[in-house]
Every structure is written in structure tokens, then in C-alpha cells.
Amino acid sequence: MSTLVEDNPAKHRFEILVDDALAGFTAYLMRGEVLVFTHTEVDRDFQGKGVGGALLRGTLDEVRARGATVVPQCPFMAAFIDKPEYADLVADLG
């Protein structure tokens, strides 16, 4: 199973392709250098196979490479980003 995570700025979301098929996405709103993640969805055929985790890892690695930060409003993203390796990406809005 080959996966590719890429930004689709026209749709304001990061998408994951599994064997060239769209398997899921995580939607965001841009607020300057902050990406506010609002919703994550994985196609039913790909659920339970680690696709959601791969999508969020690829997304957060790209956010880090850009030097941006995130606001995880999506519950799936919020639970995932609580891991030590990604916690530094959460925007300090205080």
C-alpha cells in the first residue's frame, strides 16, 4: 500500500492518496501562518488501516517544514497532536 499526503490549497485541505485513490482529507482555514484544522475524514474503505494517522503525520510534518503552527479544532486532530513529537506545532493564542 503506497501513500502520498499532499496539500490541496484550492480545497483548503491536505489529502491522502492510497495507491493513487483519494482515501481521506483534513480540512483547514488559513489565519496568517496558522492553519486551523476543522474536520478530518477517512473513506470508510480505508478506516482502521492507519490511514488517518498517516494523513495527520504527513500533514503535520509539512506544517513543520513550512514553519507554521496549527489550531486543532477537529477532535481527531486534537487527540493526535497531543503526542510529544507534534505538541510544539500548536499555536499559542494566549
Side-chain angles (χ1 to χ4, degrees), residues 36-83:
V36 179
F37 284 91
T38 58
H39 179 71
T40 301
E41 191 171 309
V42 174
D43 186 275
R44 180 169 282 134
D45 293 339
F46 296 97
Q47 291 178 3
K49 298 179 180 178
V51 172
L55 168 61
L56 296 190
R57 273 190 301 282
T59 297
L60 294 171
D61 290 344
E62 177 62 26
V63 168
R64 177 173 281 130
R66 294 180 186 180
T69 56
V70 305
V71 173
Q73 289 183 343
C74 164
F76 187 69
M77 173 71 83
F80 187 87
I81 204 165
D82 199 29
K83 300 175 188 327

Side-chain angles (χ1 to χ4, degrees), residues 1-2 4 14 19 25 27 33 35 37 40 47 66 70 78-79:
M1 177 170 80
S2 68
L4 173 67
F14 281 83
D19 298 330
F25 65 88
E33 292 298 312
L35 288 87
F37 284 91
T40 301
Q47 291 178 3
R66 294 180 186 180
V70 305

